[in-house]
Amino acid sequence: MKNLILEGFMGCGKSRIAKALGDDTGMKVIDTDELIEKEQKRAISGIFASDGEEAFRDMETALLRKLQNDTKNCIISLGGGMPVREENRRILKDLGTVVYLKADREVLIGRLERGVEKRPMLSGHDLEKRVEELLAARQDLYADAADIIIDIGEDDPDTISLRIRKELGL
Ligand code: S3P
């Protein structure tokens, strides 16, 4: 069984949907943000504050290369910026089936209003403008990396898990 990879903008529910998929399929769930925090022994906001965004992006690429070598049969939830680097998109194609969890701007903004301080790409910015700007820059890249696109609408994680499994015949 190939890995099942979840990508999408911050706030689209990747972690919760990964958990629902894990419960429904029995596959192990891994989360790239959690793995980086564990390895670095610090929060992502701390990594951005002391080392900067590029250093974090290098950690993401290094982690993807490692997963490409040693990970099978897992559900992998990606940090929202992972597909931005071309090299990462190339690795993702080899790593497994990529599901883009596509969400409307309004849904994302509503969900992101809480917890901005944990998200260094958003903190210190006007939330609406920043989400629009990042979405505009990323939407095509998410689609380019994806094998399937799921419009999440207002569905809950269990429903989305079911929709993904149906679409992929799992
Ligand atoms: C980021 C998304 C975050 C985390 C980091 C950068 C981004 O993950 O990787 O703060 O650039 O979109 P979530 O999508 O899980 O919030």
Side-chain angles (χ1 to χ4, degrees):
M1 175 73 196
K2 275 169 100 177
N3 294 304
L4 185 53
I5 303 166
L6 301 184
E7 62 157 8
F9 202 79
M10 292 169 270
C12 74
K14 296 176 293 280
S15 304
R16 288 187 314 142
I17 295 164
K19 185 172 181 312
L21 276 165
D23 291 344
D24 292 338
T25 60
M27 289 163 77
K28 184 180 167 197
V29 176
I30 60 182
D31 179 308
T32 60
D33 285 343
E34 274 176 20
L35 288 176
I36 290 172
E37 288 187 328
K38 210 164 146 194
E39 195 187 83
Q40 290 288 316
K41 299 187 179 63
R42 51 193 172 144
I44 286 170
S45 51
I47 300 173
F48 269 70
S50 51
D51 299 4
E53 181 181 351
E54 272 312 291
F56 175 71
R57 301 300 174 198
D58 289 342
M59 291 170 196
E60 287 191 310
T61 301
L63 174 60
L64 270 195
R65 289 195 196 120
K66 180 176 172 295
L67 295 178
Q68 192 180 19
N69 284 327
D70 67 10
T71 302
K72 274 198 258 166
N73 304 319
C74 286
I75 292 163
I76 304 174
S77 174
L78 300 179
M82 188 71 96
V84 173
R85 274 196 183 175
E86 208 240 321
E87 178 180 358
N88 295 355
R89 295 200 297 283
R90 238 184 302 126
I91 297 173
L92 289 171
K93 290 215 183 295
D94 178 58
L95 185 62
T97 303
V98 180
V99 180
Y100 171 22
L101 300 169
K102 191 171 180 189
D104 286 345
R105 160 195 177 283
E106 290 72 24
V107 170
L108 293 172
I109 290 167
R111 291 187 187 173
L112 288 167
E113 269 159 3
R114 274 165 292 130
V116 163
E117 66 291 340
K118 285 196 200 135
R119 290 190 161 104
M121 294 298 288
L122 303 177
S123 56
H125 295 270
D126 175 283
L127 181 64
E128 290 198 18
K129 269 202 211 137
R130 183 65 169 160
V131 168
E132 264 162 29
E133 175 185 293
L134 287 174
L135 260 183
R138 291 180 176 182
Q139 243 156 6
D140 290 351
L141 304 178
Y142 290 135
D144 182 42
D147 292 292
I148 66 164
I149 299 178
I150 299 278
D151 249 305
I152 63 168
E154 308 262 348
D155 286 350
D156 60 37
D158 289 331
T159 308
I160 295 168
S161 165
L162 182 66
R163 289 177 55 201
I164 293 171
R165 285 181 292 115
K166 262 193 177 167
E167 183 130 356
L168 295 175
L170 293 176

